[in-house]
Amino acid sequence: MMPIRDMVIFPHMMTPFVVGRESSVRALEEALNGDRKIFLATQHDARMDEPRAEDIFSVGTIGNIVQSVKMPDGNIKVLVEGLERARAVEMNDSDGFFVATLQTGSAELENTPEVEQLVQRVVSLFEQYVKLQQSLNYETMIAAVRTDEPAKVADTIAANLQLEIPEKQAILDVFDPAERLTVVAAVLELEIEKLNMDRNIQSRVKRQMEKAQKEYYLNEKIKAIQKELGRGEKSEFDDLKKKIESAGMPKDVFDKAIQELKKLEAMPPMSAESTVSRNYLDWLLAVPWKKKSKETRSIDHAEKVLNADHYGLEKIKERILEFLAVRQLVKNPKGSILCFVGPPGVGKTSLGMSIAKATGRKFVRMSLGGVRDEAEIRGHRRTYIGALPGQIIQSMKKAGTKNPVFLLDEVDKMASDFRGDPASALLEVLDPEQNTSFQDHYLDVEYDLSQVLFVATANVMHTIPGPLQDRMEILRLHGYTEVEKLEIAKQYLLKKARENTGLSEKNITFTEDALTEIIRSYTREAGVRNLEREIGNVCRKVARRVVKSGAKYKETITGDNVKDFLGVPRFRDSAVHEKNEIGLVNGLAWTEVGGSILQTEVQILDGKGKLTTTGQLGDVMTESAQAALSYIRSRAHHLGLPKDFYRNIDIHIHVPEGAVPKDGPSAGVTLATALASALTRIPVRRDVAMTGEVTLRGKVLPIGGLKEKLLAAHRAGIFEAILPEENRKDLADLPENLKSAMKLNFVDSMDEVLKLALASPLPEIKEDTPEVLASVPPPPTAERRAHQ
């Protein structure tokens, strides 16, 4: 007798297995030496290596050893044919193996109609089972049960059923063939019902998978495959969730991000909508929500940085240091919005970079020149293909912190069209009361810009909408004086030019006279860009000589040899006329690039009282000319002119550089002085410049851009100016060297202007002679008023 595990052997079946236990090998050898018969019974617990008699089922199968082969590892592979079932009456251990005394039962069954019907039912059930159980070969199984022996049919079917060991043993325990067929039929019915149920469930799942859940199932499968491939313990979605949790988002943004992540998980990975959703999550994670730069609040450090980077600009530096002082006293101050307004080349953009350097913040710059689409500020909605956040959010991503210095360059050069008005979109960004909840169309969540230090730059103010101006603190940067330009050249520009051209101080040196000559004769500007270019031009020419003559070549640039490098001077040393002339006046004008001298000419011609203006004068300036003429006519007597002087003359007013458009009211005193000079034939002083708006009564009104205009006069070599009295308060903004270098005359009326400007005094005439009074018509009587 041999105990076997994990299998039940039925009669009429050929079964191969491997024998390895020492007791089983001895029993096998004993059987082979005898009649090759062996009793095979299944043990209760397959894990037991040395079972006792009570650990083995009593009912088993007598088998005939058909074949045995000894394997190299000592085990024996045997093929056994089951003959009949038997019950062990007694089991004894003899010489290291079991010997059993068996009792066999009768296996004969008469083929009665009832038995045949039972067999047919069992075979029919087995056919259904084989069809449902895909692991069995239909043809082989059906051929095996086509026999006339009912007992063999029952055993063959039982052996091929996929049942647990106790269930198979229960069928083996039944000795009566008819009863065994009934048990097999019942088991078949139960198994068929289970298989049908599984099949129905599978078909239902399959139908659902073909709809929405198929995609989810495949996604889960992909995730499982990725895990098996060793691509991290957690999936990509787990990583995204972890990033969202650690990003420091506000609660409403966090909820939206988690909701978007859940939608993304449910989408097929290759769909277009999945890409849009993933890009949106990437942008939400890329924007800084809590990361801040550690701010340097040392005023001494900031002062050193600002002085190292820029010369002059004392008011601007003072305002920046005030800002830092407030930062030290207030824990969470609202973001300031500074706007630097001034001509090109005075250092507006580089000031923004210096502020970032002085405060230890990140620096980002956004150029607004030519921007005319509101979506550039607020972004596009996600419904559009290729949608992106606006430049504000993109720049915040670039900065990587929520408190950078944000430079809005050229804010005065924005335009508006059918796509919207970007200047209006900036209203929300540049308002400390509103930018705590700035909403970009793409992100569609509130973003806090209140900790950003916004710095805007502009050349002019009139193109910036009023509401936008109201939100910014305007800091004006005026043009540099000649002395300031000289210092800037010595401290900054020379060093930079040498580095850019690979020269050293041994190769090239500039004298102070040379720099002054470049400033006066080769540049006319408010800033220092052209000065930097001209110095660079000289350095490049010297660099060529160094390459040609050797590294020891040295050149000293002086006021006398500058023209050898830069050619003929582009500007005269002075715009002062060679002599005092009649009807020619030096006016002062303000332009976007600083101040300039505006010469005004008046010529008197024979005619019929016509006034002509040329030189591309705008409407305001033309009206100023008419007002000036009306003033002259009202003061004709005081100027020694006949009361009808204008009847037989034409007056032509011309402002040279006729290709350049000119406009504005501040040329009023210039026009009136030129008219007075031309009519009285008294020359105007060539060394005086003037500016101011004039009224019909001869009052002089204040003007703007005083510093730029005086700088222009200083550059042109004119050191005396006539200014409106109300502009006296602006003296505080003028540099000391400019105030000390120029003689400033403040006037209230045109009479004072003429006294100062004309080369010789007007003729003395008695006030209000009878002749003059006679020319004034009497007031209308009551009768005349009624007639009128």
Side-chain angles (χ1 to χ4, degrees):
M1 179 262 193
M2 183 195 302
I4 57 176
R5 42 183 157 190
D6 284 333
M7 60 189 303
V8 176
I9 296 175
F10 282 87
H12 314 295
M13 299 300 297
M14 299 286 281
T15 308
F17 57 88
V18 177
V19 178
R21 280 189 291 212
E22 187 180 349
S23 59
S24 299
V25 170
R26 286 187 181 179
L28 186 64
E29 288 173 348
E30 186 69 21
L32 289 171
N33 292 332
D35 57 358
R36 303 177 73 89
K37 298 286 192 297
I38 189 166
F39 178 60
L40 303 170
T42 307
Q43 61 188 61
H44 293 285
D45 189 353
R47 293 170 297 178
M48 193 173 289
D49 287 333
E50 297 297 335
R52 299 186 300 273
E54 57 268 21
D55 298 325
I56 304 169
F57 287 108
S58 58
V59 177
T61 302
I62 299 172
N64 179 42
I65 301 171
V66 177
Q67 189 178 4
S68 65
V69 178
K70 194 156 188 177
M71 299 172 72
D73 57 359
N75 295 336
I76 300 173
K77 189 173 183 179
V78 296
L79 180 65
V80 177
E81 179 187 9
L83 299 177
E84 61 176 322
R85 57 177 40 79
R87 187 188 302 275
V89 178
E90 187 180 352
M91 288 187 197
N92 296 313
D93 191 351
S94 171
D95 296 329
F97 59 91
F98 284 108
V99 175
T101 304
L102 306 179
Q103 175 187 351
T104 59
S106 173
E108 295 180 2
L109 183 64
E110 295 182 7
N111 284 329
T112 60
E114 290 81 4
V115 172
E116 287 180 0
Q117 188 176 359
L118 183 58
V119 170
Q120 286 177 3
R121 179 166 171 263
V122 170
V123 170
S124 174
L125 287 170
F126 186 62
E127 285 181 2
Q128 292 180 45
Y129 177 80
V130 172
K131 286 178 182 177
L132 294 171
Q133 188 60 264
Q134 296 177 354
S135 61
L136 298 176
N137 186 285
Y138 180 79
E139 299 296 335
T140 305
M141 291 297 104
I142 299 306
V145 296
R146 283 177 182 165
T147 175
D148 295 335
E149 300 178 29
K152 186 177 179 180
V153 170
D155 287 336
T156 302
I157 291 173
N160 287 290
L161 290 176
Q162 295 187 1
L163 303 173
E164 299 292 329
I165 296 299
E167 293 173 322
K168 283 195 172 186
Q169 184 65 41
I171 296 173
L172 185 66
D173 287 348
V174 180
F175 279 77
D176 182 17
E179 186 181 347
R180 192 157 64 246
L181 281 169
T182 305
V183 171
V184 168
V187 171
L188 278 171
E189 285 177 346
L190 187 60
E191 289 300 311
I192 288 168
E193 188 177 345
K194 284 182 184 177
L195 289 172
N196 278 328
M197 192 181 298
D198 288 344
R199 198 167 190 179
N200 289 336
I201 291 170
Q202 286 179 1
S203 63
R204 196 180 307 125
V205 170
K206 189 176 180 181
R207 283 196 302 271
Q208 291 175 349
M209 284 171 59
E210 284 174 355
K211 296 178 185 177
Q213 299 220 358
K214 183 178 182 180
E215 294 173 353
Y216 176 76
Y217 172 76
L218 291 173
N219 282 331
E220 291 298 315
K221 216 166 188 180
I222 287 170
K223 281 195 240 174
I225 292 168
Q226 287 176 341
K227 286 181 183 178
E228 290 297 322
L229 288 173
R231 294 180 183 170
E233 295 180 3
K234 294 189 176 182
S235 71
E236 187 180 6
F237 297 113
D238 295 332
D239 292 339
L240 276 174
K241 188 173 182 181
K242 190 175 179 182
K243 287 178 182 176
I244 291 169
E245 289 170 348
S246 61
M249 301 175 181
K251 187 177 183 309
D252 55 336
V253 182
F254 175 80
D255 293 342
K256 185 156 189 172
I258 293 295
Q259 183 183 1
E260 195 69 28
L261 181 62
K262 288 178 181 176
K263 283 168 60 179
L264 181 61
E265 284 185 278
M267 292 177 194
M270 305 309 292
S271 70
E273 190 65 28
S274 171
T275 306
V276 171
S277 189
R278 178 57 196 264
N279 286 343
Y280 176 71
L281 278 175
D282 286 343
W283 271 106
L284 276 182
L285 291 169
V287 175
W289 294 99
K290 66 176 181 179
K291 187 178 178 184
K292 294 170 66 175
S293 297
K294 189 176 180 182
E295 197 172 335
T296 305
R297 298 187 179 182
S298 168
I299 294 180
D300 294 336
H301 169 73
E303 194 167 5
K304 286 178 184 175
V305 170
L306 292 171
N307 288 332
D309 290 350
H310 295 86
Y311 178 82
L313 306 177
E314 300 303 329
K315 271 201 158 188
I316 307 299
K317 292 176 182 176
E318 187 180 342
R319 176 63 187 86
I320 295 166
L321 296 176
E322 287 169 3
F323 165 76
L324 292 175
V326 170
R327 299 287 294 183
Q328 286 192 5
L329 298 175
V330 182
K331 288 185 178 179
N332 294 310
K334 290 182 179 177
S336 300
I337 291 96
L338 305 177
C339 182
F340 298 144
V341 180
V346 295
K348 300 184 295 297
T349 303
S350 60
L351 259 176
M353 298 172 71
S354 294
I355 292 172
K357 190 176 171 185
T359 56
R361 297 182 179 207
K362 296 283 187 181
F363 175 77
V364 285
R365 173 181 169 274
M366 176 184 174
S367 179
L368 294 169
V371 171
R372 50 187 178 172
D373 188 353
E374 177 253 355
E376 288 288 325
I377 308 297
R378 284 213 185 101
H380 299 84
R381 300 206 177 274
R382 280 192 288 155
T383 49
Y384 295 104
I385 294 172
L388 281 173
Q391 289 294 329
I392 300 293
I393 294 297
Q394 289 189 41
S395 298
M396 293 303 294
K397 175 194 172 185
K398 182 181 174 184
T401 60
K402 62 184 295 186
N403 63 336
V405 173
F406 199 127
L407 183 70
L408 297 166
D409 219 358
E410 311 292 357
V411 77
D412 58 325
K413 294 178 180 61
M414 285 184 292
S416 61
D417 62 7
F418 63 93
R419 285 169 285 192
D421 183 4
S424 299
L426 274 179
L427 293 176
E428 181 184 10
V429 177
L430 298 181
D431 190 343
E433 300 297 329
Q434 298 178 34
N435 64 12
T436 53
S437 56
F438 171 70
Q439 195 147 8
D440 185 271
H441 287 158
Y442 182 85
L443 292 187
D444 201 26
V445 292
E446 291 182 352
Y447 187 77
D448 185 5
L449 292 171
S450 63
Q451 296 185 44
V452 178
L453 173 55
F454 286 102
V455 177
T457 70
N459 295 130
V460 294
M461 290 293 296
H462 62 267
T463 58
I464 305 175
L468 192 57
Q469 288 186 35
D470 187 54
R471 283 162 167 77
M472 300 187 290
E473 182 179 343
I474 308 298
L475 299 176
R476 292 192 175 274
L477 281 78
H478 303 286
Y480 295 114
T481 63
E482 186 176 297
V483 176
E484 288 174 332
K485 286 184 180 179
L486 192 61
E487 288 300 319
I488 291 169
K490 288 195 288 187
Q491 295 183 28
Y492 305 97
L493 303 184
L494 288 180
K495 182 182 177 184
K496 188 176 178 182
R498 287 193 192 105
E499 289 176 356
N500 291 342
T501 51
L503 299 175
S504 65
E505 290 186 26
K506 295 177 182 178
N507 299 125
I508 184 170
T509 55
F510 285 79
T511 65
E512 206 166 286
D513 291 341
L515 293 173
T516 304
E517 179 66 16
I518 294 174
I519 292 167
R520 288 178 180 173
S521 302
Y522 294 92
T523 63
R524 274 287 190 273
E525 58 175 347
V528 290
R529 280 208 182 105
N530 282 326
L531 177 59
E532 183 179 359
R533 288 191 192 101
E534 297 302 333
I535 292 172
N537 196 3
V538 174
C539 289
R540 284 194 299 275
K541 292 188 183 330
V542 173
R544 182 182 173 186
R545 296 184 184 184
V546 169
V547 171
K548 195 172 182 179
S549 304
K552 293 184 179 179
Y553 180 85
K554 182 174 182 180
E555 185 74 57
T556 301
I557 313 299
T558 64
D560 296 328
N561 68 1
V562 165
K563 60 178 177 295
D564 297 336
F565 295 92
L566 297 179
V568 179
R570 297 186 187 92
F571 305 97
R572 290 166 58 187
D573 288 345
S574 169
V576 178
H577 318 304
E578 295 175 358
K579 60 179 182 178
N580 298 342
E581 293 190 38
I582 295 170
L584 182 60
V585 183
N586 293 319
L588 295 174
W590 178 91
T591 69
E592 292 183 8
V593 294
S596 67
I597 295 291
L598 198 67
Q599 295 177 347
T600 304
E601 301 175 340
V602 174
Q603 192 66 267
I604 306 299
L605 308 167
D606 291 336
K608 297 181 179 180
K610 183 181 176 184
L611 174 66
T612 304
T613 57
T614 56
Q616 280 214 58
L617 306 188
D619 294 340
V620 176
M621 202 163 177
T622 303
E623 289 173 0
S624 292
Q626 292 169 347
L629 180 58
S630 296
Y631 162 74
I632 296 295
R633 285 177 59 183
S634 71
R635 303 289 290 173
H637 175 68
H638 295 274
L639 296 174
L641 300 174
K643 62 180 179 180
D644 58 350
F645 71 90
Y646 57 89
R647 292 185 184 275
N648 300 317
I649 61 170
D650 283 346
I651 299 174
H652 188 160
I653 298 175
H654 178 68
V655 182
E657 296 186 29
V660 181
K662 309 164 190 75
D663 202 5
S666 62
V669 296
T670 311
L671 294 166
T673 303
L675 283 167
S677 170
L679 290 166
T680 60
R681 311 305 294 172
I682 300 175
V684 180
R685 289 173 57 191
R686 64 189 179 90
D687 58 345
V688 172
M690 61 187 71
T691 182
E693 182 178 355
V694 71
T695 68
L696 286 174
R697 294 173 297 152
K699 294 291 183 184
V700 179
L701 301 182
I703 46 85
L706 180 64
K707 182 181 178 183
E708 285 84 355
K709 291 178 178 180
L710 291 179
L711 285 172
H714 189 273
R715 282 198 299 269
I718 299 174
F719 300 104
E720 185 173 351
I722 299 172
L723 307 171
E725 178 64 38
E726 289 187 43
N727 282 111
R728 189 186 290 274
K729 64 182 184 302
D730 298 323
L731 282 177
D733 293 335
L734 299 181
E736 287 299 325
N737 55 0
L738 184 63
K739 284 191 281 188
S740 60
M742 295 194 70
K743 180 181 178 183
L744 305 178
N745 302 295
F746 294 94
V747 297
D748 272 326
S749 67
M750 268 306 302
D751 292 343
E752 295 176 68
V753 174
L754 295 177
K755 285 178 185 177
L756 292 166
L758 297 180
S760 58
L762 292 167
E764 291 186 12
I765 299 173
K766 293 181 181 179
E767 295 291 327
D768 299 331
T769 62
E771 183 186 353
V772 175
L773 292 173
S775 65
V776 179
T781 61
E783 182 181 350
R784 186 183 297 172
R785 279 201 301 271
H787 175 71
Q788 288 173 350

